[in-house]
Amino acid sequence: MPDPIDLKAPLPPGSTIGIIGGGQLGRMSALAAARLGLRSHIFCQQQDNPGAQVADVATVAAFDDLDALGRFADAVDVVTFEFENIPHQSVQHLAERVCVRPNWESLHTCQHRIVEKDFLNAIGVATAPYRRIDGPRALAKAADELGCPSVLKTCMLGYDGKGQVLLRNGQDAEAAWSKMGGGEGVLEGFVAFEREISVIIARGSDGAIATFDPVENIHTHHILDRTIAPAPINKNQAKEAQSIAHHIAEKMNFVGLLAVEMFVTEDGRLLVNELAPRPHNSGHWTIDACITSQFEQFVRAVCGLPLGSPMRHSDAEMRNLLGDDVNGWLETLKDPAAKLHLYGKAEARPGRKMGHVTWIKRRG
Ligand code: AMP
C-alpha cells in the first residue's frame, strides 16, 4: 500500500466530502456538512436512499465497482464512510486517489470481530473471552472451554444481532453452526452485564480528541431501542470508559469518529464489545443535547477542521422508531420536549430504523 494521501490544510467551505453509504448516518452527516458550508457526495448501492435525498450529488453503483469508485474519488476532496463493510480492494482503490479518513487499517480492524478483539487485547483493552470457530467441532470444543451460555457470532457483516446465536449447551453445536449460516465465526463467553454503554470519540488529524459523555444503551431483540444520556454510572467508571476509547483511537492512529460499545459487568469491569469507525446510533442524542453533534464532529474530524465542544447541555433520552413506530409522528410533534428525526424511508418494514425521537430533559 503506498503512503496515504493526506489533506494539506483544513477543507474550506465549498469543498466536497465523499461519503460511502447512503443510510440515515450518511443523511445526518450530509446535513451537518451542509451547515458548515460543505457539499456532500454520497456513494451508495440503491436509488432514493436517506443519504442521497439530502446530498448534493449521489453516485449509485456497487461497492466493488472500481471505475465508479475512481470517478467518485476524483470528484471529492476527502472520502469517509457511514458504513464500514466495503471490500478492502475498494478502500485501497480510493486511498490511491484521495485522502481517506479513517485509515484503511482502522476499517479493516473494525470489519472483523476476531481481528478487532485481537487488536483490543494486544493493546491491553479487555473483551469477553472468545475463540475462533470454523465448524461445529471447533464450536463444541470452544463451548466446553468457555462454558455455556455463550454467544456465537459471524466474524463479518453481522449487525443488530444478525448472524448471532445463543448457545445454551455444548450439544447445540451442530444446530447453532448451521443457524449462524457457516463461514467464519467467533464464540464469546456470555457476559452477565449490569448495563451496556457506549462512548463516542472524535480524533482530529492533529491528534486532538473530543469525547462525548458515556451513554446507556437498552436493546430489544438485539436492536438498539433507547439511549439514556448520560449513562447512570459513577464518575470513575465514566472516566475509565472515556479513557479506554481514547486509548483505542490513539493506538489506531484514528482520524474521524469512533464509537466504542462496552459491557459494564456486575462487578464493575468494562469489557469492550464492538467498535464502529463512524457515527453511531447511540450518538443521535448529541444532535439535540450537545454543543456539537456527533455528525458535525465527524465532518470536522474528517475534513481536518478544529473539533467542536462535545459538552452536553441537557440530559436526553433517544428512542429509535422501528417499522410502524413511525406512524406516531404526529403525536410526537405535539410533545414540546420531543425532537423528531425521520429518515425519509418509504417502506416501514418490521425492525427497520425509520427515525428517532430525542426527549430533552433538564440537566440534573
Ligand atoms: P453485537 O452485534 O455484538 O453488538 O451484539 C448485539 C447485542 O447482543 C449486544 O448489544 C448485547 O445486548 C448482546 N450480546 C452480544 N454479545 C454478548 C455477550 N458476549 N454476552 C452477552 N450479551 C451479548
Side-chain angles (χ1 to χ4, degrees), residues 1-4 81 84 88 91-92 95 100-112 115-116 119 251-255 258 275 277:
M1 189 95 187
D3 278 351
F81 306 83
E84 63 271 28
H88 177 245
V91 183
Q92 189 164 349
V100 173
R101 287 176 173 167
N103 59 45
W104 71 267
E105 292 96 330
S106 301
L107 285 175
H108 177 67
T109 303
C110 300
Q111 279 175 345
H112 193 284
V115 176
E116 186 172 278
F119 165 75
K251 289 288 178 189
M252 284 179 145
N253 196 19
F254 193 89
V255 177
L258 180 70
L275 306 177

Short mmCIF file of all heavy atoms in Angstrom, two decimals, residues 1-4 81 84 88 91-92 95 100-112 115-116 119 251-255 258 275 277:
data_model
loop_
_atom_site.label_atom_id
_atom_site.label_comp_id
_atom_site.label_asym_id
_atom_site.label_seq_id
_atom_site.Cartn_x
_atom_site.Cartn_y
_atom_site.Cartn_z
N MET A 1 0.85 -1.20 0.00
CA MET A 1 0.00 0.00 0.00
C MET A 1 0.89 1.25 0.00
O MET A 1 1.73 1.41 0.89
CB MET A 1 -0.85 -0.06 1.28
CG MET A 1 -1.91 0.97 1.34
SD MET A 1 -3.49 0.40 0.77
CE MET A 1 -4.38 1.91 0.81
N PRO A 2 0.74 2.16 -0.99
CA PRO A 2 1.55 3.38 -1.00
C PRO A 2 1.19 4.26 0.19
O PRO A 2 0.18 4.05 0.85
CB PRO A 2 1.15 4.06 -2.32
CG PRO A 2 -0.12 3.43 -2.73
CD PRO A 2 -0.24 2.11 -2.06
N ASP A 3 2.05 5.29 0.44
CA ASP A 3 1.75 6.20 1.54
C ASP A 3 0.37 6.83 1.33
O ASP A 3 0.03 7.20 0.21
CB ASP A 3 2.79 7.34 1.56
CG ASP A 3 4.04 6.87 2.27
OD1 ASP A 3 4.01 5.78 2.86
OD2 ASP A 3 5.05 7.59 2.18
N PRO A 4 -0.40 6.94 2.40
CA PRO A 4 -1.74 7.52 2.23
C PRO A 4 -1.68 8.99 1.80
O PRO A 4 -0.77 9.71 2.19
CB PRO A 4 -2.38 7.37 3.60
CG PRO A 4 -1.28 7.06 4.54
CD PRO A 4 -0.12 6.52 3.76
N PHE A 81 -16.75 7.15 5.53
CA PHE A 81 -17.70 6.03 5.48
C PHE A 81 -18.79 6.23 6.52
O PHE A 81 -18.50 6.65 7.64
CB PHE A 81 -16.99 4.72 5.82
CG PHE A 81 -15.79 4.48 4.96
CD1 PHE A 81 -14.57 5.06 5.27
CD2 PHE A 81 -15.87 3.70 3.82
CE1 PHE A 81 -13.46 4.87 4.47
CE2 PHE A 81 -14.77 3.50 3.02
CZ PHE A 81 -13.56 4.10 3.33
N GLU A 84 -19.07 0.54 7.18
CA GLU A 84 -17.66 0.15 7.06
C GLU A 84 -17.45 -1.13 6.26
O GLU A 84 -16.31 -1.48 5.94
CB GLU A 84 -17.00 0.03 8.42
CG GLU A 84 -17.56 -1.03 9.34
CD GLU A 84 -18.70 -0.51 10.19
OE1 GLU A 84 -19.41 0.45 9.76
OE2 GLU A 84 -18.90 -1.07 11.28
N HIS A 88 -12.10 -4.52 0.88
CA HIS A 88 -10.79 -3.94 1.14
C HIS A 88 -10.17 -3.33 -0.12
O HIS A 88 -9.60 -2.24 -0.10
CB HIS A 88 -9.90 -5.04 1.73
CG HIS A 88 -8.52 -4.60 1.97
ND1 HIS A 88 -7.45 -5.12 1.31
CD2 HIS A 88 -8.03 -3.63 2.78
CE1 HIS A 88 -6.36 -4.51 1.71
NE2 HIS A 88 -6.68 -3.61 2.60
N VAL A 91 -11.45 0.13 -0.82
CA VAL A 91 -10.87 1.18 0.03
C VAL A 91 -9.48 1.53 -0.48
O VAL A 91 -9.10 2.70 -0.59
CB VAL A 91 -10.80 0.72 1.50
CG1 VAL A 91 -10.26 1.83 2.38
CG2 VAL A 91 -12.16 0.27 1.99
N GLN A 92 -8.73 0.48 -0.86
CA GLN A 92 -7.37 0.71 -1.36
C GLN A 92 -7.40 1.53 -2.65
O GLN A 92 -6.61 2.45 -2.84
CB GLN A 92 -6.73 -0.66 -1.62
CG GLN A 92 -5.28 -0.56 -1.95
CD GLN A 92 -4.59 -1.91 -1.81
OE1 GLN A 92 -5.16 -2.86 -1.27
NE2 GLN A 92 -3.38 -1.98 -2.29
N ALA A 95 -8.00 5.01 -1.70
CA ALA A 95 -6.87 5.61 -0.97
C ALA A 95 -5.70 5.95 -1.89
O ALA A 95 -4.85 6.77 -1.53
CB ALA A 95 -6.42 4.66 0.13
N VAL A 100 -8.38 9.34 2.48
CA VAL A 100 -9.46 8.53 3.05
C VAL A 100 -9.33 8.57 4.57
O VAL A 100 -8.27 8.26 5.12
CB VAL A 100 -9.36 7.06 2.56
CG1 VAL A 100 -10.37 6.18 3.28
CG2 VAL A 100 -9.58 6.98 1.05
N ARG A 101 -10.38 8.96 5.23
CA ARG A 101 -10.40 9.02 6.70
C ARG A 101 -11.66 8.36 7.23
O ARG A 101 -12.73 8.71 6.73
CB ARG A 101 -10.33 10.48 7.16
CG ARG A 101 -8.96 11.08 6.94
CD ARG A 101 -8.96 12.52 7.31
NE ARG A 101 -7.59 13.07 7.26
CZ ARG A 101 -7.33 14.35 7.29
NH1 ARG A 101 -8.31 15.23 7.39
NH2 ARG A 101 -6.09 14.78 7.24
N PRO A 102 -11.61 7.47 8.20
CA PRO A 102 -10.40 6.97 8.85
C PRO A 102 -9.57 6.08 7.93
O PRO A 102 -10.04 5.70 6.86
CB PRO A 102 -10.96 6.17 10.04
CG PRO A 102 -12.35 5.81 9.65
CD PRO A 102 -12.84 6.91 8.78
N ASN A 103 -8.33 5.77 8.38
CA ASN A 103 -7.41 4.99 7.55
C ASN A 103 -7.92 3.56 7.32
O ASN A 103 -8.73 3.04 8.10
CB ASN A 103 -6.01 4.98 8.17
CG ASN A 103 -6.02 4.40 9.58
OD1 ASN A 103 -6.61 3.38 9.86
ND2 ASN A 103 -5.36 5.08 10.51
N TRP A 104 -7.43 2.92 6.26
CA TRP A 104 -7.99 1.61 5.90
C TRP A 104 -7.69 0.55 6.94
O TRP A 104 -8.46 -0.38 7.15
CB TRP A 104 -7.56 1.19 4.50
CG TRP A 104 -6.10 0.80 4.38
CD1 TRP A 104 -5.07 1.61 4.04
CD2 TRP A 104 -5.54 -0.49 4.63
NE1 TRP A 104 -3.89 0.91 4.06
CE2 TRP A 104 -4.15 -0.39 4.41
CE3 TRP A 104 -6.07 -1.73 4.99
CZ2 TRP A 104 -3.28 -1.47 4.56
CZ3 TRP A 104 -5.20 -2.81 5.15
CH2 TRP A 104 -3.84 -2.67 4.93
N GLU A 105 -6.58 0.70 7.69
CA GLU A 105 -6.27 -0.30 8.73
C GLU A 105 -7.35 -0.29 9.81
O GLU A 105 -7.76 -1.34 10.31
CB GLU A 105 -4.91 -0.03 9.40
CG GLU A 105 -3.71 -0.21 8.51
CD GLU A 105 -3.24 1.11 7.90
OE1 GLU A 105 -4.09 2.00 7.68
OE2 GLU A 105 -2.04 1.24 7.64
N SER A 106 -7.82 0.91 10.16
CA SER A 106 -8.88 1.01 11.18
C SER A 106 -10.16 0.35 10.68
O SER A 106 -10.82 -0.39 11.41
CB SER A 106 -9.20 2.46 11.52
OG SER A 106 -8.06 3.12 11.98
N LEU A 107 -10.48 0.60 9.41
CA LEU A 107 -11.69 -0.01 8.84
C LEU A 107 -11.55 -1.52 8.86
O LEU A 107 -12.47 -2.24 9.26
CB LEU A 107 -11.87 0.41 7.38
CG LEU A 107 -12.36 1.82 7.16
CD1 LEU A 107 -12.36 2.12 5.68
CD2 LEU A 107 -13.75 1.98 7.72
N HIS A 108 -10.38 -1.99 8.45
CA HIS A 108 -10.14 -3.43 8.38
C HIS A 108 -10.30 -4.05 9.77
O HIS A 108 -10.95 -5.09 9.94
CB HIS A 108 -8.72 -3.64 7.83
CG HIS A 108 -8.32 -5.06 7.77
ND1 HIS A 108 -8.93 -5.95 6.91
CD2 HIS A 108 -7.40 -5.76 8.47
CE1 HIS A 108 -8.39 -7.14 7.09
NE2 HIS A 108 -7.46 -7.05 8.02
N THR A 109 -9.76 -3.40 10.77
CA THR A 109 -9.86 -3.92 12.14
C THR A 109 -11.33 -4.01 12.56
O THR A 109 -11.75 -5.01 13.16
CB THR A 109 -9.09 -2.99 13.12
OG1 THR A 109 -7.74 -2.91 12.68
CG2 THR A 109 -9.13 -3.49 14.54
N CYS A 110 -12.10 -3.01 12.22
CA CYS A 110 -13.49 -2.97 12.68
C CYS A 110 -14.42 -3.85 11.84
O CYS A 110 -15.57 -4.05 12.20
CB CYS A 110 -14.02 -1.54 12.67
SG CYS A 110 -13.10 -0.43 13.74
N GLN A 111 -13.91 -4.37 10.72
CA GLN A 111 -14.77 -5.20 9.86
C GLN A 111 -14.85 -6.64 10.33
O GLN A 111 -15.68 -7.40 9.86
CB GLN A 111 -14.19 -5.24 8.43
CG GLN A 111 -14.52 -4.04 7.60
CD GLN A 111 -13.82 -4.09 6.24
OE1 GLN A 111 -12.89 -4.86 6.02
NE2 GLN A 111 -14.27 -3.25 5.34
N HIS A 112 -13.94 -7.03 11.20
CA HIS A 112 -13.81 -8.45 11.51
C HIS A 112 -13.71 -8.61 13.03
O HIS A 112 -12.79 -8.11 13.66
CB HIS A 112 -12.54 -8.97 10.82
CG HIS A 112 -12.46 -10.46 10.79
ND1 HIS A 112 -12.13 -11.19 11.89
CD2 HIS A 112 -12.66 -11.35 9.79
CE1 HIS A 112 -12.13 -12.47 11.58
NE2 HIS A 112 -12.45 -12.60 10.31
N VAL A 115 -10.26 -9.99 14.37
CA VAL A 115 -9.17 -9.01 14.19
C VAL A 115 -9.34 -7.89 15.24
O VAL A 115 -8.37 -7.45 15.88
CB VAL A 115 -9.19 -8.43 12.75
CG1 VAL A 115 -8.13 -7.35 12.58
CG2 VAL A 115 -9.00 -9.54 11.72
N GLU A 116 -10.60 -7.48 15.41
CA GLU A 116 -10.89 -6.39 16.36
C GLU A 116 -10.54 -6.79 17.80
O GLU A 116 -9.87 -6.06 18.52
CB GLU A 116 -12.38 -6.07 16.24
CG GLU A 116 -12.86 -4.89 17.03
CD GLU A 116 -14.31 -4.56 16.68
OE1 GLU A 116 -14.53 -3.89 15.67
OE2 GLU A 116 -15.22 -5.00 17.42
N PHE A 119 -6.81 -7.16 18.33
CA PHE A 119 -6.22 -5.82 18.45
C PHE A 119 -6.46 -5.25 19.85
O PHE A 119 -5.54 -4.75 20.50
CB PHE A 119 -6.80 -4.89 17.36
CG PHE A 119 -6.54 -3.44 17.61
CD1 PHE A 119 -5.28 -2.90 17.39
CD2 PHE A 119 -7.53 -2.59 18.11
CE1 PHE A 119 -5.02 -1.55 17.65
CE2 PHE A 119 -7.29 -1.27 18.37
CZ PHE A 119 -6.03 -0.74 18.13
N LYS A 251 -4.18 4.38 19.53
CA LYS A 251 -3.44 3.22 19.04
C LYS A 251 -3.77 2.90 17.59
O LYS A 251 -2.97 2.29 16.87
CB LYS A 251 -3.72 1.99 19.92
CG LYS A 251 -3.08 2.09 21.29
CD LYS A 251 -1.56 1.91 21.17
CE LYS A 251 -0.88 2.06 22.51
NZ LYS A 251 0.58 2.12 22.41
N MET A 252 -4.96 3.28 17.14
CA MET A 252 -5.33 3.06 15.73
C MET A 252 -4.83 4.19 14.84
O MET A 252 -5.03 4.14 13.64
CB MET A 252 -6.86 3.01 15.59
CG MET A 252 -7.48 1.73 16.04
SD MET A 252 -9.26 1.87 15.82
CE MET A 252 -9.65 0.21 15.37
N ASN A 253 -4.29 5.24 15.45
CA ASN A 253 -3.96 6.45 14.72
C ASN A 253 -5.20 6.91 13.92
O ASN A 253 -5.15 7.25 12.74
CB ASN A 253 -2.77 6.21 13.79
CG ASN A 253 -2.18 7.51 13.33
OD1 ASN A 253 -2.41 8.55 13.94
ND2 ASN A 253 -1.44 7.48 12.22
N PHE A 254 -6.30 6.89 14.65
CA PHE A 254 -7.62 7.07 14.04
C PHE A 254 -7.89 8.55 13.77
O PHE A 254 -7.61 9.40 14.61
CB PHE A 254 -8.65 6.53 15.03
CG PHE A 254 -10.02 6.36 14.48
CD1 PHE A 254 -10.38 5.17 13.88
CD2 PHE A 254 -10.95 7.38 14.56
CE1 PHE A 254 -11.64 5.00 13.35
CE2 PHE A 254 -12.21 7.22 14.04
CZ PHE A 254 -12.56 6.03 13.43
N VAL A 255 -8.45 8.85 12.61
CA VAL A 255 -8.94 10.21 12.33
C VAL A 255 -10.40 10.07 11.90
O VAL A 255 -10.70 9.39 10.92
CB VAL A 255 -8.13 10.91 11.23
CG1 VAL A 255 -8.71 12.29 10.93
CG2 VAL A 255 -6.67 11.05 11.66
N LEU A 258 -15.23 7.55 16.27
CA LEU A 258 -15.17 6.13 16.66
C LEU A 258 -16.17 5.89 17.80
O LEU A 258 -16.16 6.61 18.80
CB LEU A 258 -13.75 5.80 17.14
CG LEU A 258 -13.49 4.37 17.60
CD1 LEU A 258 -13.50 3.40 16.41
CD2 LEU A 258 -12.14 4.26 18.31
N LEU A 275 -16.51 -2.10 18.08
CA LEU A 275 -16.12 -0.75 17.64
C LEU A 275 -16.87 -0.43 16.35
O LEU A 275 -17.11 -1.30 15.52
CB LEU A 275 -14.62 -0.70 17.33
CG LEU A 275 -13.64 -1.16 18.41
CD1 LEU A 275 -12.21 -1.10 17.86
CD2 LEU A 275 -13.78 -0.29 19.65
N PRO A 277 -16.33 2.52 13.31
CA PRO A 277 -15.46 3.65 12.92
C PRO A 277 -16.22 4.73 12.17
O PRO A 277 -15.85 5.14 11.07
CB PRO A 277 -14.45 2.95 11.99
CG PRO A 277 -15.26 1.87 11.33
CD PRO A 277 -16.29 1.43 12.33
#
